[in-house]
Structure formats: C-alpha cells, structure tokens
Amino acid sequence: MSDIQTYAQTNAPAKTGKIMLVGLGPGAVEHMTGRARAAIAEADTIIGYVTYVRLVADLIDGKEVIKKSMTEELDRAIEALDRAKQGKKVALISSGDAGVYGMAGPTFEVLFQAGWTPDSDIEVEIVPGASALNTCAALVGAPLTHDFCAISLSDLLTPWPTIARRLDAVAYSDFVVALYNPKSGRRTRQIQEAQRIFLRHRDPNTPVAIVKSAFRPKQRLEFTTLEKMAEADIGMLSTVLIGNSNTFIQGGLMVTPRGYANKYDVAEGERSTKGGEQAGRSLSTGLNGWLEAIRESGKSAAELAVEYRLPEDYIAAALAAGPEEDIAESAEAEA
C-alpha cells in the first residue's frame, strides 16, 4: 500500500451511518443469504415496499420499520439517507437482488445528487440475493443455460419505443428472454405487443414458461408457447421466460441446450468428438473457421449478410481483414 493510500485511509472521515441494500431473494428465510439475514439483524431501521417488509416480519421485531408504496422508490432512498445521516444502520430491502430492477440504482442516484462519495462518512453495502430470473428458472428446469437477457415491460419510466427496440433486437438475436413486470391492472397491452414483436422472428411453438410468486405460498407455474403466451394467466407478480430456437420442454422441464451437441456425440455413456472438432478448442464454425469459410465462399458481403443475418458493413470489414489478424488473435488467445 502506498503512503498516499495509507494517509487517505488514516485521515478519511469516520463512518457514522450505513445503508445496506439487501436482496431478499424470493423472500423466505431459507432462500436468503447468510449476509442478508445478518444485515437485517444488524440494522436499526428497515425500509421497504410494504409487501417486502411483510416477507421479513419475523426478523424485524424491535426495529424501526418504514413501509412505502410501490411507486415510492425515491422516497425510500431519501428516507434511508436521512436515517444514515443520523448515524443509523439502515437495511433498505428489495425482493430478488437489489441491483436487478431493485433499490440499488435509485439509492445511488439519490446519494450522488446529495454529494455522497465512497469516501463519505456514510457506508453503503450491496447485499446480493437470488433474482426472479434465477428463482423462476430453477422452478421450471434449466432455461438459462445459454445466452439470455432480461427486459422489463413497464413503461412507467421507460418509453415504449425503447422497450420495443430492445424486444425486437433480442428476439432477432435468439436470446432466451425473461420478461419482468409483464402486466398489471392498468398495463394490459404490453405483453401482447411483446408477443407480436417476438412472432416476427420466432417460431410460434417456441416454449414459454410463466412463473407467478416463485417460492411463495401462491406459486403457480404454467408452460405454453409463444403463439398462446398472451392468453395465459399473467400478472404483476409473474415472470415470463421465452426460450430460444433450441429450447425444449420435456418431462415437465424447460431446457435450453448449452451447445455440446455441436461438438460431441454421446452414445451409451461415452463421449466422442465429432469430425473436424477438437476438445477445448473453438468450433470449426467458430470465429476463425467462419472467417476462412466466408473468404473462400466467393460470395459478396451483401449475400453473406443475408445468409448469416449480420450487418453488411460488418461482413465487409471481416472480408477485408487479412488472415494474419486471425492468426495473431488466435495465438494471443492461446498464450
């Protein structure tokens, strides 16, 4: 440690208060991390949406409890900062993970606007928790084994065109997608529009799982297809998981293959590498193999762009780059 760092730590202001952004996971004590339970026990004040406070009711006896409504996220953060300025330890709770559509973002916005920095006398700790994405996936099988993303359909703070562009991009790109906040009493059409966008790019029979109140008393699971998704029982407490082109449902489980079948044959409990493939190496259709193939194809950038569903200018740049660049990148990766 340098002298400057030592001096800075020695002369930094003493921490007077603390804000702990606690992810509760689904809510039951057995699904919380040990640190989440310890943070709640350590706190003087508990702040959260009334439903989330109810989830930890047996852990907060004797503490100051501040309950807020659904749309009062900034008010929760302001209350947390106010109590921390008084020297209190505050547990600001979120279901799932506080950094995934949770209270971490709004809290930092409030803190930064108030002039807070990490060196200030108020300490901030983020306590991670299992997100709805993880918990819902665990209930239905293994839908997230390959590339995935999450999109919220709530247009209370995000313009619909922005949401629609994101939906279109991920639908086209064949991601497995988790839809948060898919529907509410007032927002009923957003899930229909999401379905319309996905059907532009995906097979109508694409598997869909709908999980309501994961790991809670009113838990409900439903499997359906993209074509029938909007007809399902979907509400504000639901998370919608849309599979990719390889996702399947078998034995009551939704599974997205990782891609081992592209490289290996498995027969009678033994694994063998397919012709042209090498264990531990990129696929023959990986980057370098693909670059070699398109250069040898004799096709134009426009033709290849249609074939591979990639931007023409990207294809043109790949064709223009010399094979020497591929070799250099491969050697660097193996070093």
Side-chain angles (χ1 to χ4, degrees):
M1 182 181 296
S2 70
D3 292 340
I4 294 176
Q5 289 174 314
T6 302
Y7 176 84
Q9 290 187 4
T10 303
N11 293 276
K15 301 294 185 182
T16 59
K18 183 174 183 179
I19 298 174
M20 295 171 286
L21 296 153
V22 182
L24 301 178
V29 173
E30 62 265 27
H31 293 126
M32 294 181 199
T33 65
R35 179 57 195 145
R37 293 193 296 270
I40 292 171
E42 178 185 333
D44 304 304
T45 302
I46 308 296
I47 301 176
Y49 172 47
V50 59
T51 299
Y52 305 156
V53 171
R54 196 178 302 128
L55 293 174
V56 294
D58 55 339
L59 302 178
I60 59 177
D61 285 344
K63 300 180 184 294
E64 178 186 30
V65 178
I66 300 174
K67 302 175 184 179
K68 293 288 184 179
S69 299
M70 176 65 77
T71 58
E72 296 178 335
E73 291 83 2
L74 292 178
D75 291 336
R76 291 179 230 166
I78 291 168
E79 288 278 9
L81 176 57
D82 180 63
R83 294 304 191 280
K85 285 180 177 179
Q86 298 172 28
K88 294 185 177 181
K89 292 183 177 180
V90 181
L92 182 50
I93 59 175
S94 296
S95 67
D97 184 280
V100 180
Y101 301 113
M103 283 303 303
T107 300
F108 280 118
E109 289 184 55
V110 168
L111 287 168
F112 289 141
Q113 289 180 16
W116 176 90
T117 70
D119 295 326
S120 299
D121 60 349
I122 294 174
E123 181 182 355
V124 177
E125 178 187 0
I126 300 176
V127 181
S131 70
L133 191 69
N134 301 116
T135 53
C136 293
L139 287 170
V140 301
L144 308 179
T145 312
H146 216 305
D147 298 336
F148 62 88
C149 71
I151 296 177
S152 171
L153 295 190
S154 175
D155 54 6
L156 296 177
L157 300 173
T158 305
W160 179 254
T162 299
I163 298 172
R165 283 194 298 271
R166 292 170 180 171
L167 291 168
D168 186 69
V170 299
Y172 178 81
S173 301
D174 203 29
F175 280 96
V176 176
V177 181
L179 298 180
Y180 279 66
N181 306 313
K183 193 175 182 180
S184 70
R186 295 181 179 179
R187 295 184 302 101
T188 59
R189 185 173 172 180
Q190 284 79 356
I191 189 65
Q192 297 173 355
E193 292 301 311
Q195 178 191 41
R196 189 196 312 277
I197 290 169
F198 265 78
L199 285 171
R200 295 182 64 246
H201 305 292
R202 303 280 180 96
D203 189 307
N205 290 317
T206 299
V208 173
I210 299 160
V211 183
K212 180 179 180 180
S213 300
F215 291 98
R216 296 179 186 173
K218 295 183 179 181
Q219 173 182 297
R220 184 176 183 277
L221 312 179
E222 181 177 355
F223 291 106
T224 184
T225 63
L226 182 60
E227 183 177 35
K228 298 180 179 180
M229 178 178 76
E231 302 170 14
D233 180 14
I234 299 174
M236 191 61 184
L237 299 178
S238 303
T239 300
V240 178
L241 299 171
I242 303 174
N244 69 15
S245 58
N246 293 308
T247 302
F248 61 90
I249 294 176
Q250 184 172 329
L253 296 171
M254 182 177 183
V255 178
T256 302
R258 180 68 180 87
Y260 291 102
N262 293 326
K263 182 174 288 189
Y264 302 104
D265 286 316
V266 178
E268 298 181 358
E270 295 185 1
R271 182 191 73 176
S272 61
T273 306
K274 290 185 173 181
E277 305 298 341
Q278 298 180 55
R281 299 290 182 132
S282 296
L283 286 171
S284 58
T285 51
L287 177 57
N288 289 339
W290 175 71
L291 289 172
E292 182 179 354
I294 63 172
R295 288 170 186 149
E296 293 177 352
S297 70
K299 297 179 181 179
S300 68
E303 292 172 318
L304 291 166
V306 172
E307 179 178 347
Y308 291 105
R309 298 172 65 195
L310 287 168
E312 184 177 340
D313 58 345
Y314 170 70
I315 298 284
L319 291 170
E324 296 79 8
E325 292 185 23
D326 306 342
I327 295 172
E329 291 175 3
S330 179
E332 182 180 350
E334 294 175 8

